[in-house]
Amino acid sequence: MDNLKTIASYSGTFKIGDFVVNRLGFGSMRLTGRGIWGPPTDRREALAAVRRAVELGVNFIDTADSYGPDVAEELIGEALAGRGDILVATKAGLRRPGPDQWTPHGRPEYLIERAKGSLKKLGVEQIGLWQLHRIDPRVPMQDQFAAVRQLLDEGVIANAGLSEVSIEEIEAASRYFKVATVQNRYNLVDRGSEDVLDYCERNDIGFIPWFPLAAGDLARPGGVLDSLAKRHAATAGQIALAWMLKRSPVMLPIPGTSKVSHLEQNVASARIQLSDDEFADFEGSVG
Ligand SMILES: NC(=O)c1ccc[n+]([C@@H]2O[C@H](COP(=O)([O-])OP(=O)(O)OC[C@H]3O[C@@H](n4cnc5c(N)ncnc54)[C@H](OP(=O)(O)O)[C@@H]3O)[C@@H](O)[C@H]2O)c1
């Protein structure tokens, strides 16, 4: 039997600045309370999920100042106790007036203040990867990118990324800083960011698909995902993650869960290797 501690490494690696991360990461948004608001219902389980991820070889954890707000960052800070070998990727740029409410907020001084606040919550001296959560349409884009440049220059953050952006926006940001990663919604049934993914692949930018587990009708009994799952003795969700890992070498999925059992199931998908034929058949049946 394989050593469980290295399971995530079967997903392959990707370089973000000086960090080499296993491509299958962990998303921490679900560690918080209902509506991504307040503390988790089971704090012990939430901390255990983060620690279990690391035990299984996950060394790339996505979070944001707005998850809770602050709750996810504080839980990760507590669970990891400042471990420098895990790349924690946080974000700012969305304000939280209440549960399930997200408002873009891109004033440069706000972004800088929030990034510095993340240092404290995560218990680190530098943020390995910081992402602009949204480009605020009410603030000149250049001002937001200049704030990111300032964070890099001051050493508050080591690498910078973007979230929910177009190719044009990546190119505009690239005039201010090296865009290390892009985080857009992407999954088997929502592939509106194919052009951005291809752009990232051409330019060696990490592509972080959020909401990676949505499989919709594809997962129905007798469907293409269901038959692939049976063949690999896996769940539909695991096949969805394996498909994503095969789709591109720059793909860095961050499935999110608050439960250790789900976490273990998700990380185990790193071991599932779809053949080229299976991948092509799948594309043909949904394309
Ligand atoms: N950049 C952005 O704007 C943005 C937006 C949204 C999310 N994100 C990031 O992306 C990450 C992933 O997105 P997401 O959490 O929305 O979607 P997801 O990972 O596709 O799905 C998470 C949901 O699936 C459930 N789940 C997870 N593993 C499961 C399993 N093995 N079996 C059954 N259910 C399972 C979780 O519930 P349980 O807790 O019950 O397992 C949760 O409700 C987030 O954690 C966050 O870090 C970024």
Side-chain angles (χ1 to χ4, degrees):
M1 186 170 158
D2 292 301
N3 180 351
L4 284 178
K5 289 189 177 177
T6 61
I7 279 198
S9 67
Y10 285 90
S11 62
T13 57
F14 184 78
K15 211 158 176 266
I16 298 175
D18 292 337
F19 289 88
V20 178
V21 296
N22 292 322
R23 289 201 296 135
L24 187 65
F26 171 66
S28 70
M29 190 176 85
R30 309 285 171 173
L31 295 179
T32 65
R34 190 187 290 267
I36 322 300
W37 191 260
T41 42
D42 189 341
R43 190 171 193 279
R44 189 188 295 230
E45 178 81 1
L47 284 168
V50 180
R51 293 185 177 127
R52 187 69 181 132
V54 172
E55 277 173 10
L56 295 175
V58 169
N59 59 0
F60 176 56
I61 297 181
D62 181 74
T63 190
D65 69 329
S66 48
Y67 297 165
D70 302 328
V71 171
E73 286 186 325
E74 285 167 1
L75 284 168
I76 291 167
E78 183 176 339
L80 301 185
R83 272 183 68 155
D85 56 336
I86 312 294
L87 179 60
V88 179
T90 194
K91 326 179 191 75
L94 285 176
R95 251 199 179 138
R96 305 298 310 283
D100 286 321
Q101 295 174 49
W102 308 83
T103 320
H105 198 82
R107 270 194 305 112
E109 53 281 17
Y110 175 77
L111 297 176
I112 289 166
E113 177 207 310
R114 294 303 289 173
K116 290 182 178 170
S118 293
L119 287 176
K120 292 200 190 77
K121 286 173 274 169
L122 293 171
V124 295
E125 287 181 2
Q126 186 179 50
I127 292 164
L129 174 64
W130 185 89
Q131 306 151 93
L132 181 60
H133 211 155
R134 288 291 182 280
I135 296 174
D136 184 345
R138 298 164 312 162
V139 176
M141 210 190 281
Q142 294 73 9
D143 293 357
Q144 297 171 71
F145 298 154
V148 180
R149 177 75 259 162
Q150 187 179 327
L151 287 168
L152 285 162
D153 289 344
E154 289 180 2
V156 176
I157 68 176
N159 299 284
L162 300 168
S163 174
E164 282 304 297
V165 287
S166 64
I167 293 172
E168 293 69 32
E169 288 165 335
I170 301 170
E171 289 182 334
S174 299
R175 289 195 272 278
Y176 288 77
F177 58 90
K178 177 177 162 33
V179 177
T181 56
V182 165
Q183 182 168 153
N184 279 10
R185 193 173 67 190
Y186 182 89
N187 56 54
L188 282 176
V189 290
D190 183 353
R191 292 167 64 182
S193 279
E194 288 286 349
D195 60 337
V196 175
L197 170 57
D198 289 338
Y199 179 89
C200 287
E201 191 171 316
R202 285 197 301 279
N203 292 281
D204 202 30
I205 295 171
F207 182 88
I208 306 168
W210 63 266
F211 203 27
L213 285 168
D217 285 348
L218 298 177
R220 72 190 180 285
V224 58
L225 204 50
D226 185 53
S227 60
L228 269 180
K230 285 199 177 105
R231 198 180 307 160
H232 286 271
T235 65
Q238 287 176 317
I239 298 294
L241 291 172
W243 177 89
M244 260 193 250
L245 288 167
K246 192 169 174 65
R247 168 64 183 81
S248 170
V250 302
M251 187 79 85
L252 312 173
I254 46 165
T257 180
S258 55
K259 299 187 178 71
V260 173
S261 59
H262 287 171
L263 181 276
E264 289 174 341
Q265 210 175 63
N266 297 344
V267 177
S269 64
R271 290 297 319 271
I272 300 169
Q273 299 288 334
L274 299 182
S275 70
D276 291 345
D277 285 348
E278 285 173 332
F279 188 80
D281 285 352
F282 186 86
E283 287 296 274
S285 62
V286 297

